[in-house]
Amino acid sequence: MLALLLLFLNLCRGQGSDSGDGRSDSGDGRSSCHRCDSHLSCNCSHGGFTHIPVVTDRALTIDLSCNAIATVMDDDLMGHTRLRALDLHGNGLAAIQPSAFDSLWSLEELDLSDNQLAALNYRWFRKLEALQQLNLLSNPYSCLGSPPLFQGLIQLRRLAFGGPALEELRRGDLSGVTQLEELTVHANNLTRYESGTLADIWPLGRVTLSLHGPFLTNMPVASAVLGDVSYPETPITLEDLHLIGNWSVQPLRESARKRIRHLSFRNLSVSDEAVVSLLVVVDGVPITYLSVDGITLTGEGRWEKASYTDQRSIDEFFAQDVVVLDVFKFFSLLDLKFLLQYLRRVSVINSKVFVMPCITSKLLVNLQYLDLSDNLLTDLTLVETLCGDHETLKELRVLNISGNPLKSLSTVSRLVTKLSKLTHLDVSRTGYISMPPSCPWPSTLRHLNISGAKLTTTTPCLPATLEVLDLSNNNLRGFTQHLPVLRELHLSGNKFLSLPPGQLFPNLQTLTIHSNTLNMFGRLDLQSFRRLESLQAGQNQFVCSCDFVNFLQSALKGHEGIHLTDGEDNYVCDSPLYLQGEPVGRVHLSIVTCHRVLFVSVSCGLVLVVGVLLGVFLWRLHAFWYLKMTWAWLKAKHSSRCRQRHRVIEGSEALLSFDAFVSYSERDAGWVENFLVPELEEPSESDSGDPRTLRSLTLCLHKRDFLPGHWIVDNIMSAMERSRRTVFILSENFVQSDWCRYELDFSHFWLFDGHAGGEAAILVLLEPLSKDDVPKRFYKLRKLMSSTTYLEWPREEERRPEFWRSLRKALRGGDEDD
C-alpha cells in the first residue's frame, strides 16, 4: 500500500508540473520533453531548455535546436542506442564531455552548428561508426585539432565544417574521410592551408566553399583549396564573393585548368570587369552548367569584350534573385550573341524582369527550356517576349511563366500556338479568373499547370492532348471536361464535394484531390476510373459512415487495387462529432451503428424467442395463473370493501346467508342436485330426534344463487362472504373442467391467502383422487389434502349415512354428536 501511495504521489507531482508546451520535470530534477509523434520523432526545439531534457529512449529523432543548452554531460544521452538523428544547433553550446555521445551507436546525423565550441575533441565521435552526416559549421574553433577528428567515421558521407575563426587547415586534418557526397567548408578567414588537405577525398560529390577572405587577400590559399576539390564530375558552389577586378577571379584558373563542368555562385557581387575576366578564364572550359543565386550586378552590362571567347559548352544558365544596381544604364544584351546562341536551358527567376525584348528572344535559337517565373511579366510584355505572331523559339519545349501578373489565358494560348514543339506549359500562380469557351493550343502540348489561380469553372478551352493537368488551389467545384489521354490530374485545394466522373478520363492513372470538401467516396466511384493506380484524397471533410470506413480501411490495406499515396494519417473523420479528428484507419464502428436494420431484426427475433421461452417457462411455473388470480383478487377485494362501506353507511351488518358454498363441476351437477342438496337442505329420517340435527342446511350453488349480470368473481366473492364453509366436490371432472378450474382458482386464492383458514374448506372426493392429480399451482389445496382429513363418497350404500353425518357435522362446526 505504501508503494502504491508513493507511485500515486509521483504521478500527481508529474501532472502538476507538466506545462502546455510538452515540458515537465523528471524525478532527478531534469526537464522532460514529450513532444514526440507516431514516428518517434521528438521536436524539443525552442523549448527554453538549459540542459538536455529527458526524452524517451525509443526516440529515433531528437531536435533540440534553438534552446539554451550550454553543456552536454556524459550521462545526458545515456540509453539512446536507437537514436538516428540529433540536432543541437543554435544552443550556444560551449562544452561537450568526452563520452557524451558514446551510447549513440545508431546515430546517422549529428548537427552541432551555430554554437560556441571553441575546440573540437576527437573523442566525441570515436563511437559513432554509423554516422553519415556531420555539421560543425559556425563555431569559433580556429583549427580542426589533433588527433584527426574523423578517423573512425567510415560511413561519413556529408561533412560541413568551418566558421568565422577557422584560420588553418593542415594535411591530415581529414584523415579517415575517404569519400563524400557533399562537402561544405566555411573558411572566409583562412590564412594557412596545406596543399593536399582536401585532395585525398575521392569520390567527391557536391562541394560548397565560402572563401571570401582568401579571394580578396590570400589568393594562393583560395587557389590551393579550389585545386584540391576541382574535378570534372564535382559540382562546385562558391559563396559570399565580391569579384571586382581581373585579379579577383584568378583563383578560378586552377578550377578551369581541371576542366570543371558545374560552377555555381551564391550571394555574389560582381563588376563588369570581373564578368569579362570570368568569361575569359572559362574560355574553352567544358562548363555545361552555370548558376548564380543572389547576384548583384554593379556595372552596366558591358561584356562585349569577351565576345571572342568560346562558351558553346554552356548548356544551362540559371539565375535567381538578380539585382541590377542601375537598371536604366544597363546595356542591351544584343552583344551577347556569343553567349546566348548556344544555351538550351535558361532560368531567370524572381529578378523583376518585366520584358525580354523580342530581339533577345531571337538570339536564343537553340533554347529548349525557358523559366521566367516570379517576375513582372504582363499580357502585353509577354507578347513582346514571345515576339507576337512572329516565328521564334522554334525549339522551345518547356515554358514556365508562373508567378507573373498575367490576366488573359486566351492571350497565352494564342502566343504559344506557334511553338510547334512545346510540350510543357506552366502558368500557375497567375491572375486567371476564367477560361474562354475555346482556345488554340499547339498539338504537342502534354503538360499544363494552371494551379494557384482563381478559376471557378473549366471549359473546353483545355486541350484534349493533355497527359498531365494541374488545377490545384483554385475555386473549382466540379470538372466535366473529357480528356481521353490524360494520365495525371491534380485537383487539390479546391471545393470539390465528390470525385469527378471517371468516365471522362479513360487513361487516368494518378489523381490528387486532397484538401477539398469531399464527404466520402466509395468503390463505385473508383471503379469508374478504369486505370487509376494512385490516389491522394486526404485532408477532406469525411463523414465516417460505415460504408466509407469499411471501404477506406480496405483501400489503406491495398485491397482495392489503388494505392493511397498520401498515407493513413491524412484521412481523418470530420463527422459524426464523437469521431471528429480520429484517423479513419483506426475507427471501429459497432454493429448497432453499421447494421441497424439487421440488428433490430435480430434483436426482435431474439426478444421474441426469449419471450416465447420465458412464456413457456412461466406457464410451466403457473406464473400467469398467479398474476391472473392476483388481479382478480385485488379487483374483487376492492368491490368487497365497497360493499362493506355501503353496509356501514346503511347501518346494516354482514349476514351469513349460507351454511356452505359448494364448488363443483357441471358434470357432477347430477350428484349435487340428486344427493347433496336433498340430503343437506331437507331433514333426514335417519337423523336422531335432536332438533339441531333436524335443522336443514342452506347451500349456495352457482346455478341457483349467483346473481345474473354480475361479474363471476364478484358473485364468488359475495357467496363466500355470506357462507360459513366452502365445500369442494373433487373429481376428475372437477380437475378437467375449465369453468370449474377458474372457480376453484379464485376460491383457492380467497380461502388460503389468510382471510379464511383451512378449517373453512371441506373436501369431498367423489372418486379416488390423489393430491398429484391436483394442478401444482393449487399448492395450498395440495397441502391441505396432505394435512387435512377429507370425506370420500362411498360406493357402498350402507356407508352413506355415516358420510352424511360426518359432512353435516363438518358444516355445523362440530355441534352434531356421533
Side-chain angles (χ1 to χ4, degrees):
M1 290 297 294
L2 181 59
L4 290 175
L5 179 60
L6 291 174
L7 176 61
F8 175 75
L9 291 175
N10 286 334
L11 289 173
C12 292
R13 186 181 299 112
Q15 293 174 356
S17 62
D18 193 7
S19 62
D21 60 0
R23 296 175 56 192
S24 64
D25 291 331
S26 66
D28 59 0
R30 291 170 58 192
S31 298
S32 299
C33 175
H34 306 292
R35 294 181 292 182
C36 301
D37 61 20
S38 59
H39 302 291
L40 298 177
S41 178
C42 302
N43 182 6
C44 305
S45 63
H46 298 87
F49 296 108
T50 57
H51 297 85
I52 299 290
V54 175
V55 184
T56 173
D57 57 10
R58 296 185 298 113
L60 299 179
T61 301
I62 299 179
D63 184 356
L64 288 166
S65 61
C66 303
N67 284 288
I69 301 171
T71 304
V72 180
M73 307 299 290
D74 282 338
D75 59 348
D76 282 348
L77 296 167
M78 190 73 69
H80 286 279
T81 56
R82 301 176 58 192
L83 191 64
R84 301 288 182 81
L86 176 62
D87 188 349
L88 286 165
H89 89 268
N91 274 282
L93 186 62
I96 301 175
Q97 292 191 354
S99 302
F101 302 143
D102 280 3
S103 63
L104 308 183
W105 308 320
S106 302
L107 195 67
E108 297 175 355
E109 300 178 15
L110 177 60
D111 190 345
L112 297 173
S113 63
D114 194 19
N115 282 295
Q116 297 298 318
L117 298 173
L120 304 178
N121 191 332
Y122 78 97
R123 288 186 290 181
W124 297 343
F125 314 118
R126 61 185 175 182
K127 299 292 184 67
L128 305 183
E129 295 181 357
L131 195 65
Q132 300 177 20
Q133 181 173 326
L134 176 60
N135 189 346
L136 298 171
L137 291 173
S138 302
N139 281 282
Y141 49 85
S142 59
C143 62
L144 295 182
S146 181
L149 293 175
F150 318 116
Q151 189 67 50
L153 305 182
I154 58 176
Q155 300 293 330
L156 192 64
R157 295 296 178 266
R158 292 179 176 85
L159 174 62
F161 66 88
L166 184 63
E167 298 178 351
E168 180 182 21
L169 285 176
R170 295 177 300 178
R171 194 175 182 88
D173 282 349
L174 278 82
S175 178
V177 181
T178 57
Q179 58 178 310
L180 289 177
E181 297 173 4
E182 186 173 338
L183 172 64
T184 301
V185 180
H186 286 186
N188 287 322
N189 296 310
L190 190 65
T191 58
R192 293 182 299 276
Y193 177 83
E194 291 186 7
S195 183
T197 299
L198 301 175
D200 294 333
I201 304 174
W202 179 259
L204 181 59
R206 180 175 298 278
V207 175
T208 301
L209 301 174
S210 183
L211 299 170
H212 171 68
F215 260 83
L216 291 178
T217 62
N218 199 337
M219 290 185 185
V221 169
S223 297
V225 174
L226 282 171
D228 282 351
V229 297
S230 294
Y231 303 97
E233 300 83 2
T234 301
I236 294 179
T237 299
L238 299 175
E239 294 182 336
D240 304 322
L241 294 182
H242 297 285
L243 303 182
I244 300 173
N246 293 331
W247 54 271
S248 62
V249 299
Q250 295 309 308
L252 290 171
R253 290 186 181 276
E254 189 64 27
S255 295
R257 186 177 64 84
K258 293 196 175 182
R259 305 182 71 79
I260 62 172
R261 295 176 183 174
H262 296 78
L263 180 60
S264 300
F265 297 91
R266 188 179 298 141
N267 192 17
L268 174 66
S269 177
V270 61
S271 65
D272 285 348
E273 186 178 5
V275 170
V276 172
S277 297
L278 178 61
L279 293 174
V280 171
V281 166
V282 299
D283 180 19
V285 177
I287 293 178
T288 59
Y289 177 82
L290 181 61
S291 168
V292 288
D293 184 357
I295 180 174
T296 300
L297 299 173
T298 61
E300 298 177 358
R302 298 181 181 275
W303 307 333
E304 66 278 2
K305 294 180 182 180
S307 60
Y308 68 90
T309 60
D310 180 7
Q311 309 297 338
R312 69 183 63 193
S313 64
I314 299 180
D315 182 72
E316 181 175 357
F317 175 73
F318 178 91
Q320 180 170 286
D321 298 331
V322 179
V323 176
V324 180
L325 290 185
D326 197 345
V327 67
F328 296 106
K329 292 183 180 181
F330 201 77
F331 204 71
S332 172
L333 298 178
L334 296 179
D335 292 331
L336 298 181
K337 180 179 180 180
F338 73 96
L339 181 62
L340 300 179
Q341 63 182 336
Y342 301 113
L343 292 172
R344 291 194 301 171
R345 298 172 63 90
V346 172
S347 300
V348 183
I349 302 171
N350 193 31
S351 299
K352 298 183 179 179
V353 174
F354 59 88
V355 67
M356 184 170 72
C358 176
I359 300 175
T360 303
S361 299
K362 289 181 178 180
L363 296 176
L364 300 167
V365 293
N366 291 304
L367 193 66
Q368 298 179 8
Y369 179 99
L370 177 60
D371 186 349
L372 295 174
S373 59
D374 297 307
N375 283 292
L376 301 175
L377 296 175
T378 64
D379 294 325
L380 183 61
T381 59
L382 185 62
V383 173
E384 172 64 20
T385 299
L386 298 180
C387 299
D389 296 328
H390 299 286
E391 292 290 334
T392 187
L393 301 175
K394 296 179 181 180
E395 300 298 320
L396 193 65
R397 290 167 171 75
V398 178
L399 176 61
N400 186 349
I401 50 176
S402 62
N404 284 281
L406 304 173
K407 302 294 183 184
S408 173
L409 186 59
S410 59
T411 299
V412 172
S413 69
R414 177 175 56 83
L415 291 173
V416 301
T417 301
K418 64 183 180 180
L419 304 177
S420 59
K421 295 185 178 181
L422 189 70
T423 59
H424 294 66
L425 176 62
D426 189 342
V427 288
S428 60
R429 298 181 291 113
T430 52
Y432 300 141
I433 59 175
S434 63
M435 285 186 182
S438 62
C439 307
W441 298 100
S443 60
T444 55
L445 190 62
R446 298 291 182 267
H447 296 244
L448 179 60
N449 187 348
I450 322 180
S451 63
K454 301 176 182 178
L455 298 174
T456 56
T457 58
T458 59
T459 71
C461 170
L462 296 172
T465 59
L466 289 179
E467 295 180 2
V468 178
L469 175 61
D470 191 345
L471 291 170
S472 303
N473 301 311
N474 281 282
N475 293 315
L476 299 175
R477 296 180 181 273
F479 188 81
T480 58
Q481 308 308 312
H482 180 54
L483 299 174
V485 296
L486 194 68
R487 293 184 294 105
E488 294 184 21
L489 178 60
H490 304 277
L491 298 171
S492 302
N494 283 283
K495 299 179 180 179
F496 282 84
L497 295 173
S498 61
L499 297 181
Q503 298 85 349
L504 300 174
F505 321 108
N507 289 292
L508 193 68
Q509 298 175 10
T510 300
L511 174 63
T512 60
I513 193 168
H514 60 79
S515 303
N516 276 271
T517 54
L518 293 181
N519 294 136
M520 64 181 66
F521 58 91
R523 189 171 290 106
L524 292 178
D525 296 316
L526 297 183
Q527 286 176 349
S528 63
F529 296 91
R530 293 187 297 179
R531 297 187 177 181
L532 191 63
E533 299 175 357
S534 174
L535 174 66
Q536 291 185 17
Q539 300 178 20
N540 277 287
Q541 300 174 6
F542 292 121
V543 176
C544 285
S545 64
C546 296
D547 291 340
F548 175 71
V549 169
N550 291 336
F551 163 74
L552 192 63
Q553 290 179 350
S554 175
L556 288 170
K557 295 176 182 177
H559 297 163
E560 300 297 330
I562 294 175
H563 182 45
L564 299 178
T565 56
D566 47 352
E568 176 181 338
D569 292 341
N570 287 293
Y571 294 84
V572 177
C573 296
D574 185 67
S575 65
L577 190 60
Y578 71 93
L579 290 176
Q580 195 172 67
E582 188 73 17
V584 180
R586 294 197 285 271
V587 168
H588 300 284
L589 297 176
S590 64
I591 296 178
V592 178
T593 304
C594 292
H595 304 284
R596 196 179 302 273
V597 175
L598 177 62
F599 178 78
V600 171
S601 302
V602 172
S603 298
C604 290
L606 289 175
V607 169
L608 181 61
V609 170
V610 172
V612 170
L613 294 176
L614 183 62
V616 172
F617 180 72
L618 292 177
W619 176 78
R620 295 281 296 177
L621 295 178
H622 310 293
F624 296 114
W625 177 80
Y626 287 113
L627 292 174
K628 182 177 69 174
M629 286 299 97
T630 300
W631 168 248
W633 164 240
L634 292 174
K635 188 173 181 180
K637 189 174 183 180
H638 175 73
S639 300
S640 175
R641 288 175 178 174
C642 290
R643 287 193 297 270
Q644 289 176 2
R645 285 196 298 268
H646 181 70
R647 293 191 187 102
V648 171
I649 293 173
E650 292 180 350
S652 60
E653 296 182 359
L655 300 176
L656 294 175
S657 304
F658 302 101
D659 291 297
F661 169 63
V662 182
S663 177
Y664 60 94
S665 168
E666 280 295 323
R667 294 182 180 181
D668 297 325
W671 184 86
V672 172
E673 294 171 357
N674 295 326
F675 290 93
L676 182 68
V677 173
E679 187 68 33
L680 296 182
E681 290 192 342
E682 298 176 6
S684 174
E685 294 180 359
S686 62
D687 293 335
S688 63
D690 192 337
R692 292 177 300 174
T693 62
L694 295 177
R695 183 179 63 84
S696 62
L697 298 173
T698 305
L699 302 179
C700 179
L701 306 178
H702 66 266
K703 291 179 63 176
R704 184 183 67 187
D705 299 308
F706 279 12
L707 296 176
H710 285 240
W711 189 32
I712 186 172
V713 176
D714 286 338
N715 274 316
I716 294 173
M717 186 70 143
S718 176
M720 293 176 67
E721 286 178 345
R722 293 184 294 148
S723 301
R724 292 186 177 89
R725 304 282 189 274
T726 297
V727 178
F728 290 105
I729 310 300
L730 301 181
S731 67
E732 285 290 340
N733 295 329
F734 186 95
V735 173
Q736 298 299 325
S737 171
D738 291 337
W739 169 265
C740 193
R741 281 208 311 268
Y742 181 78
E743 186 177 74
L744 181 59
D745 286 346
F746 186 77
S747 300
H748 167 270
F749 197 86
W750 163 257
L751 287 172
F752 307 118
D753 69 345
H755 290 84
E759 69 278 1
I762 300 173
L763 306 182
V764 177
L765 272 64
L766 288 185
E767 57 191 14
L769 187 70
S770 68
K771 69 173 183 178
D772 295 331
D773 296 324
V774 180
K776 293 181 179 180
R777 60 180 177 275
F778 306 126
Y779 66 95
K780 288 191 177 180
L781 181 59
R782 290 162 59 91
K783 182 178 180 181
L784 187 64
M785 291 180 65
S786 300
S787 59
T788 305
T789 303
Y790 46 81
L791 299 176
E792 293 188 44
W793 172 249
R795 298 299 179 184
E796 299 84 1
E797 188 75 25
E798 60 274 12
R799 294 179 56 194
R800 291 179 181 176
E802 181 65 24
F803 168 81
W804 293 121
R805 281 194 298 270
S806 298
L807 180 59
R808 286 193 186 94
K809 181 179 178 181
L811 291 174
R812 289 170 176 162
D815 294 338
E816 187 178 284
D817 295 326
D818 294 335

